[in-house]
Amino acid sequence: MRSLRIGALWVSTSFRAAPLLMVIATVLVALRAVAAPAQTFGISLLVEGLTADRSATITAGIAIIVGGLAVSFLGDVVAWPVQVTAEERMAGRVHADLLDVTTGIPGLTQHERADVSDRLEFVRERAWKMGVGSEVLLWLFGTVTNTVTVLSLLGSVHPVLLLLPLLGMSRVWSAYQGNMREQQAHEDTMPQERLADRLIEIAKDPRTGLEVRVFGLRRVLLERITALQAERFRLLVAAARWSGKVDGGVRLLFGLLYAAAVVWIVIRARNGQQTAGDVVLVLLLAPQVDQMTGGIAQNVYWIGEVVRSFSRYDWLREYAKANSWRRSRTPAPRRLTTGIELRDVGFAYPGAESAVLSGVNLTVPAGSAVALVGENGAGKTTLVKLLARMYDPTSGQILVDGVDLSTIEPGSWRAGMAAGFQDFVKFELIAREVVGIGDVGRMGDVTAVQAAVRRGGAESVVAGLPRGLDTQLGKKFTDGVELSGGQWQRFALARAFMREKPMLLLLDEPTAALDPEAEHRLYEQYATAARDAAAETGGITVLVSHRFSTVRMADLIVVMHHGRIEEVGSHEELLAAGGRYAELFELQARAYR
């Protein structure tokens, strides 16, 4: 069943990419596949007509030869550009489909599991092999057509000769086995390849260059990369040697058998059991049979690669389908009326031995601002990810106005959300796009982008750019401008302001690269925006920060410790309680003093 599904996926993807071109190419491939053996048959008829002095046979032979030449000429002129164009369309379709499928997975689980990450990386790296799928499909169809034609001609001479192409298929078997051995070696060494590639990136990336040189990591990186590549090459070379031995032995056996068949048909002709045309036909078909089986043997690698690539693509589609949260169909509310409630929420990352969150109970009223505080590893960022529904809790529930968040359509929920993160992305786009993607629907609204820049405190950064908001960011591009860490963060903050009145605003230390004074000013703007959103949408603001001078403006402060909530209350209440919050606040205040 899965094999049929993979085959159907291969064919449908090829024809969806360029339907008309694929139909034209298929017809041309079939004609070209028949042309060569047909010309051989025409030559045998010509020889028979000349030896027997039959003009009708001579005429038929010449007509077939000329027709074959015409088809070959037409195919050479038209088929190649048609196939190249179809292949380019196929490559574009494959990459678009892969992007659509991978970005369509609503959660982040696939990024947390090493086994899934390895397979996803393999799919992406080998995607170009699916891109040549249309070419391989056409070649396969042409080979089948050519094989049927050659078998028919050999069978017309003597049925025993049909065994020769079948014996030649042993080369296909040997090539397939060798290819499987080599492919398995590639898959077995994928972890080493990924690690080596990552270390190479570290070695050449300007962002890591400072620490590489300060800590003298050059030799360590080189030795590690060399060791990983040596291990890979050892396994790959062993597989290649095994493949060469098997394929060489099979080819030698096939060559000897075909030579014996040619001698046998000549002896039969001398005894009057075959005609001169039969001898010519077998002699001329011999190199075609060898070419046919050799071509299959050589291209079985590509057939195998395309099949395996589409097999992985099929796995990815099935994985995406299984993790698509298809049952989450409830639309997100347009306005929060009661708020968000966490009931005995627990969460463990895929493959982790221990839970990051356990027994979390919390009620956040609509229209409130809540701050999450605690030491590193307390579970603050994980809680933010659960609220954004990047994951579902492994136990317990998150309720939005009494509705389980796991039943709400994720795209609908995130459409009413805005966020700023410490680990923000440096989108190397045009400056206005870097901000505008915070609300894709208003990305082209210059007024909205300028307002977000103003609220995010990025006006001074834009003013220093040579072409303002039309400046290309990133030194990788011609005339691109590189920004400092703080400047990139200003753009990330402005991006978070694009959605003016979100129902959920998540701020996970988005100002870590800014000084305390600048951070405080920005959070005052966030507080103003949060109050506006709260009045209109019942919006909730969730703030993660280590600076207590900032979190004190929150309506509710949640103190987390080892994945649990230890204290909840206002700044004044928590100070009066004299618990962990009061202790942490005093430590930070003492440091400032």
Side-chain angles (χ1 to χ4, degrees):
M1 180 65 181
R2 184 165 186 263
S3 299
L4 291 175
R5 191 172 68 235
I6 292 168
L9 181 61
W10 180 5
V11 174
S12 64
T13 304
S14 300
F15 277 85
R16 277 191 301 115
L20 180 60
L21 290 177
M22 283 297 292
V23 170
I24 295 172
T26 301
V27 173
L28 290 173
V29 163
L31 292 174
R32 293 180 71 190
V34 172
Q39 286 179 282
T40 302
F41 179 64
I43 293 172
S44 70
L45 288 179
L46 181 60
V47 170
E48 284 210 16
L50 291 173
T51 55
D53 195 21
R54 293 200 295 266
S55 58
T57 305
I58 294 173
T59 302
I62 292 174
I64 292 173
I65 293 170
V66 173
L69 288 171
V71 168
S72 297
F73 175 77
L74 178 65
D76 291 340
V77 172
V78 179
W80 177 247
V82 169
Q83 288 186 43
V84 168
T85 305
E87 182 182 340
E88 290 177 351
R89 298 268 184 90
M90 175 73 161
R93 166 65 68 176
V94 163
H95 284 89
D97 285 353
L98 278 177
L99 183 63
D100 182 56
V101 172
T102 51
T103 57
I105 301 173
L108 296 178
T109 302
Q110 66 274 12
H111 298 298
E112 305 291 347
R113 290 178 50 184
D115 58 333
V116 175
S117 294
D118 278 344
R119 297 189 72 173
L120 282 172
E121 188 71 17
F122 213 74
V123 171
R124 284 191 289 266
E125 288 188 357
R126 303 300 192 271
W128 66 274
K129 292 182 178 178
M130 282 193 291
V132 301
S134 60
E135 180 184 354
V136 175
L137 183 65
L138 291 170
W139 175 86
L140 187 59
F141 175 71
T143 299
V144 171
T145 305
N146 179 261
T147 301
V148 170
T149 306
V150 170
L151 287 174
S152 300
L153 293 176
L154 284 175
S156 68
V157 176
H158 197 287
V160 174
L161 295 176
L162 292 174
L163 295 174
L164 289 174
L166 296 178
L167 290 172
M169 292 300 160
S170 59
R171 289 181 60 187
V172 178
W173 172 86
S174 66
Y176 175 76
Q177 293 298 323
N179 179 37
M180 288 296 292
R181 180 68 68 94
E182 292 177 21
Q183 183 62 32
Q184 189 60 51
H186 275 287
E187 295 194 7
D188 290 343
T189 59
M190 190 64 199
Q192 291 96 319
E193 183 179 354
R194 285 183 64 211
L195 182 54
D197 289 345
R198 178 61 186 139
L199 293 176
I200 290 171
E201 279 296 317
I202 291 173
K204 70 178 185 179
D205 196 327
R207 292 171 295 183
T208 58
L210 181 61
E211 291 200 38
V212 167
R213 286 160 178 77
V214 168
F215 296 119
L217 300 180
R218 173 177 170 271
R219 183 173 297 279
V220 175
L221 289 172
L222 287 176
E223 289 177 353
R224 190 73 184 277
I225 292 168
T226 302
L228 288 167
Q229 290 180 336
E231 176 64 15
R232 285 190 66 243
F233 293 151
R234 184 183 66 80
L235 295 173
L236 294 176
V237 168
R241 285 176 178 170
W242 185 91
S243 176
K245 290 177 183 177
V246 172
D247 191 50
V250 170
R251 292 190 68 175
L252 177 61
L253 178 62
F254 171 73
L256 293 174
L257 290 173
Y258 207 102
V262 171
V263 172
W264 176 69
I265 205 69
V266 169
I267 293 172
R268 283 179 59 83
R270 290 190 63 183
N271 294 334
Q273 296 172 296
Q274 304 286 165
T275 65
D278 291 337
V279 174
V280 171
L281 185 62
V282 173
L283 285 172
L284 293 179
L285 283 177
Q288 292 186 36
V289 171
D290 183 65
Q291 183 180 5
M292 177 186 71
T293 55
I296 295 173
Q298 291 172 7
N299 285 281
V300 72
Y301 167 80
W302 283 108
I303 296 173
E305 282 298 289
V306 171
V307 169
R308 274 187 291 274
S309 295
F310 273 98
S311 175
R312 299 184 196 105
Y313 181 34
D314 177 71
W315 166 83
L316 176 59
R317 287 162 59 96
E318 292 300 306
Y319 178 87
K321 189 184 299 182
N323 292 272
S324 64
W325 296 339
R326 287 177 293 172
R327 296 181 180 179
S328 303
R329 288 291 176 263
T330 304
R334 294 180 177 272
R335 175 184 173 85
L336 292 176
T337 55
T338 58
I340 299 175
E341 181 183 0
L342 286 77
R343 290 184 181 174
D344 200 28
V345 168
F347 180 75
Y349 285 101
E353 296 181 358
S354 58
V356 181
L357 298 174
S358 57
V360 174
N361 291 283
L362 179 66
T363 299
V364 182
S368 64
V370 57
L372 305 179
V373 299
E375 71 275 15
N376 290 330
K380 304 183 298 296
T381 296
T382 299
L383 186 54
V384 167
K385 290 179 180 178
L386 291 181
L387 291 173
R389 209 193 165 194
M390 297 301 166
Y391 305 93
D392 282 334
T394 49
S395 63
Q397 290 179 303
I398 299 176
L399 303 177
V400 178
D401 282 351
V403 178
D404 194 331
L405 180 57
S406 66
T407 67
I408 295 177
E409 199 279 317
S412 171
W413 174 244
R414 293 171 191 161
M417 182 190 309
F421 302 104
Q422 179 180 0
D423 297 326
F424 55 86
V425 179
K426 297 178 180 178
F427 291 103
E428 294 186 340
L429 306 169
I430 303 298
R432 55 182 163 76
E433 295 174 335
V434 173
V435 176
I437 56 177
D439 188 354
V440 177
R442 298 193 303 155
M443 189 172 170
D445 187 340
V446 178
T447 301
V449 171
Q450 290 173 338
V453 167
R454 187 169 55 255
R455 289 196 297 272
E459 289 176 297
S460 61
V461 182
V462 173
L465 297 176
R467 287 180 296 280
L469 285 172
D470 292 321
T471 303
Q472 170 68 55
L473 301 184
K475 291 297 289 183
K476 295 178 181 178
F477 301 95
T478 303
D479 298 329
V481 175
E482 187 55 78
L483 303 178
S484 67
Q487 289 173 321
W488 276 114
Q489 192 159 52
R490 294 276 186 177
F491 271 110
L493 291 165
R495 188 160 60 241
F497 272 116
M498 274 298 293
R499 287 178 177 167
E500 295 178 339
K501 296 176 182 177
M503 282 194 306
L504 181 62
L505 176 60
L506 301 174
L507 303 172
D508 188 357
E509 298 193 72
T511 57
L514 304 181
D515 59 80
E517 185 179 350
E519 180 190 57
H520 190 74
R521 287 198 304 270
L522 277 166
Y523 275 127
E524 284 181 337
Q525 292 199 52
Y526 273 122
T528 301
R531 284 192 294 271
D532 293 341
E536 189 162 327
T537 66
I540 290 173
T541 299
V542 178
L543 163 66
V544 178
S545 178
H546 283 96
R547 290 172 180 165
F548 288 85
S549 59
T550 299
V551 303
R552 64 189 303 172
M553 68 178 65
D555 302 313
L556 197 66
I557 298 173
V558 178
V559 183
M560 302 190 67
H561 182 63
H562 291 169
R564 293 180 177 275
I565 293 179
E566 195 165 283
E567 295 178 291
V568 178
S570 66
H571 174 72
E572 292 75 14
E573 291 170 344
L574 294 176
L575 283 183
R580 183 176 297 277
Y581 178 83
E583 179 184 345
L584 293 173
F585 181 83
E586 178 58 30
L587 284 173
Q588 192 168 107
R590 192 182 306 153
Y592 278 111
R593 288 197 296 267

